[in-house]
Amino acid sequence: MKDISLYIHIPFCKQKCLYCDFPSYSGKERLMDGYIEALSNEILQKGKEYRISSIFIGGGTPSYLNELSLQKLLYTLNKLNLRDGLEFTVECNPGTLNEKNLNIMKKHNVNRISMGLQSTKNSLLKDIGRIHNYEEFVENYFLARKLGFDNINADLMFGLPNQTPEDWECSLRKVAELGLDHISAYSLIIEEGTWFYNLYEEDKLNLPEEDKERIMYLKTKDILNEYGYHQYEISNYSKKNKECFHNKVYWKCNEYLGLGASASSFINKKRIKNIDSIEEYIKRINNEESVIEEVHINNIKDDMEEFIFMGLRMIEGIKVEEFKERFNKDIYEVYGDIIEKNIKKELLINNSGNLYLTSHGIEISNYVMSDFILS
């Protein structure tokens, strides 16, 4: 039986954030029970042939599910062939967590919570369309600790409208002082199709200048190091033994199964994506029809590029030997000139067969990665 990681997509939100381009919807609560019913069928139909090595329930806002739907979903997932001690994460938003839904998660073997905080400054949370304030996050965090959750992540964002480097430093220190196990620190990206994109196009978004955003990025590593967090990926920091196993599956280009509307899978060199529409998804599952929207079969160039792009996001980088095992080619045969050029520029290091970005290389990682596109 093949080992695989499992991603489950919950497309419901209480309110859509102004920066969010994920396939998630507010105002569709009436579809919740029907969706979970259909999703449970897809899980049992497609998940039983694998041994599951990690589960990540993302969204949307999984913690926004009503108690019955949450219970049904978790009950179904526990029917699968789960590896002992697997990492089982649920994404949660402050303001949607309470003792009841946390206890349901605990009872059904959820052992990692990822909380979307974004900032500790309430005016900034309002500016980006979040439904919670910092005080609610702290309350939810301590409640989860009290109920026995010992692996908790918080997402933070920098480069937000009206945010200063001082605001960012304050957020980092406050969250680190709480003693979270893992902190994800992302920079805001303005994505097409979002409220922020429209405001940006109309020049109505007061974003920090590039040099200020760079200061925020550089502060992140220094401050979190002070509190005992190590950086193991461009945007991710963890306490000892608390790295996110599931996300490393993506960065290492290992296989995963994605279930639910909009979910993506990577299996047998195929990238598979499900349809976006919740209504259509429910209808098709109920009619025993396929919910797959597209299948892309990677060629060897796709695979090599993805392996490099994702692998260089990790601080440990990629193993030269693993490239050879996967692709039956020496990495220098394919990328020799590019590797040497970036080593000369002090953006890349090859140390004992590990190829990884330097500190400066991480800062301009998009520029380095673009070199590895095979024409």
Side-chain angles (χ1 to χ4, degrees):
M1 196 177 254
K2 187 191 260 190
D3 278 16
I4 205 158
S5 285
L6 177 60
Y7 173 77
I8 302 291
H9 190 68
I10 303 299
F12 303 100
C13 276
K14 193 169 178 180
Q15 178 179 294
K16 185 90 171 164
C17 298
L18 304 179
Y19 56 82
C20 178
D21 75 325
F22 289 136
S24 60
Y25 311 92
S26 60
K28 296 207 173 193
E29 289 81 355
R30 69 188 187 285
L31 299 171
M32 215 177 255
D33 294 346
Y35 177 76
I36 294 301
E37 190 65 42
L39 176 58
S40 297
N41 288 338
E42 193 192 13
I43 289 167
L44 293 176
Q45 185 197 338
K46 295 179 183 170
K48 286 233 159 151
E49 58 188 281
Y50 301 103
R51 186 170 54 193
I52 309 299
S53 48
S54 68
I55 301 174
F56 194 105
I57 306 179
T61 311
S63 54
Y64 186 46
L65 288 175
N66 63 54
E67 285 156 29
L68 276 175
S69 289
L70 179 65
Q71 199 147 339
K72 179 170 178 62
L73 172 64
L74 296 177
Y75 174 75
T76 304
L77 286 167
N78 276 279
K79 285 183 176 176
L80 299 179
N81 188 346
L82 308 180
R83 281 193 70 153
D84 288 347
L86 91 166
E87 179 189 274
F88 192 157
T89 306
V90 176
E91 278 189 339
C92 302
N93 266 348
T96 61
L97 275 178
N98 54 55
E99 194 154 346
K100 275 187 176 168
N101 60 13
L102 281 166
N103 273 327
I104 291 168
M105 291 180 214
K106 194 82 189 131
K107 182 186 161 193
H108 290 90
N109 301 316
V110 173
N111 54 21
R112 185 174 183 272
I113 284 179
S114 181
M115 292 174 77
L117 169 59
Q118 316 316 350
S119 174
T120 61
K121 190 174 181 178
N122 289 337
S123 61
L124 288 178
L125 291 173
K126 209 172 170 187
D127 288 345
I128 62 175
R130 301 296 285 172
I131 59 164
H132 62 88
N133 58 36
Y134 176 59
E135 291 69 30
E136 278 175 296
F137 166 80
V138 174
E139 202 180 298
N140 286 175
Y141 169 71
F142 283 118
L143 177 61
R145 284 288 197 225
K146 189 180 106 181
L147 297 175
F149 288 95
D150 63 0
N151 195 354
I152 302 179
N153 167 65
D155 289 342
L156 291 172
M157 287 177 98
F158 63 92
L160 299 175
N162 309 315
Q163 188 183 38
T164 65
E166 292 70 32
D167 291 334
W168 178 239
E169 179 166 348
C170 180
S171 280
L172 288 170
R173 289 192 183 280
K174 275 185 168 177
V175 171
E177 276 162 15
L178 286 173
L180 279 107
D181 307 282
H182 189 286
I183 295 171
S184 300
Y186 301 103
S187 73
L188 172 69
I189 296 168
I190 306 294
E191 302 282 8
E192 219 170 315
T194 62
W195 274 96
F196 270 4
Y197 183 81
N198 300 335
L199 292 171
Y200 179 74
E201 289 290 284
E202 292 166 18
D203 206 19
K204 288 180 181 167
L205 211 53
N206 180 29
L207 295 171
E209 290 139 12
E210 209 174 296
D211 60 331
K212 289 218 169 90
E213 197 172 319
R214 193 156 169 263
I215 288 167
M216 291 185 208
Y217 175 76
L218 293 171
K219 274 186 173 188
T220 309
K221 188 178 176 184
D222 292 343
I223 290 168
L224 293 182
N225 274 348
E226 252 180 72
Y227 290 90
Y229 295 89
H230 74 278
Q231 184 183 25
Y232 68 101
E233 190 268 347
I234 287 178
S235 305
N236 284 276
Y237 299 79
S238 93
K239 289 276 176 84
K240 200 176 176 192
N241 300 326
K242 298 286 184 173
E243 293 178 2
C244 178
F245 174 89
H246 187 88
N247 283 342
K248 282 162 79 170
V249 167
Y250 301 144
W251 301 323
K252 291 180 175 182
C253 291
N254 292 335
E255 293 189 317
Y256 55 90
L257 175 65
L259 303 177
S262 304
S264 297
S265 305
F266 179 49
I267 302 174
N268 300 329
K269 296 197 180 299
K270 290 178 187 162
R271 295 218 169 264
I272 302 159
K273 186 190 169 295
N274 279 359
I275 54 173
D276 289 330
S277 162
I278 303 173
E279 292 88 341
E280 184 65 19
Y281 173 85
I282 295 169
K283 192 177 102 185
R284 287 202 200 174
I285 293 276
N286 291 346
N287 291 337
E288 297 183 7
E289 295 166 5
S290 169
V291 289
I292 293 170
E293 181 179 68
E294 59 178 296
V295 177
H296 173 77
I297 299 172
N298 273 11
N299 61 34
I300 191 160
K301 278 185 179 178
D302 295 332
D303 282 339
M304 288 193 289
E305 281 177 7
E306 284 170 12
F307 182 77
I308 298 271
F309 290 179
M310 299 306 276
L312 287 180
R313 289 193 62 88
M314 291 183 294
I315 302 307
E316 68 180 21
I318 54 180
K319 290 182 170 57
V320 169
E321 197 46 50
E322 196 183 332
F323 188 94
K324 192 164 193 177
E325 278 168 27
R326 282 193 186 218
F327 308 116
N328 215 8
K329 275 180 188 245
D330 189 285
I331 196 167
Y332 275 87
E333 207 183 307
V334 186
Y335 286 118
D337 293 348
I338 294 160
I339 292 170
E340 289 308 328
K341 178 181 112 178
N342 282 288
I343 287 174
K344 277 199 182 91
K345 287 184 176 176
E346 298 187 347
L347 300 172
L348 261 186
I349 291 172
N350 185 352
N351 183 10
S352 319
N354 255 33
L355 199 64
Y356 55 93
L357 293 169
T358 63
S359 294
H360 184 44
I362 290 170
E363 277 178 56
I364 55 167
S365 58
N366 288 348
Y367 166 78
V368 182
M369 310 283 196
S370 65
D371 262 1
F372 286 89
I373 296 169
L374 294 165
S375 53

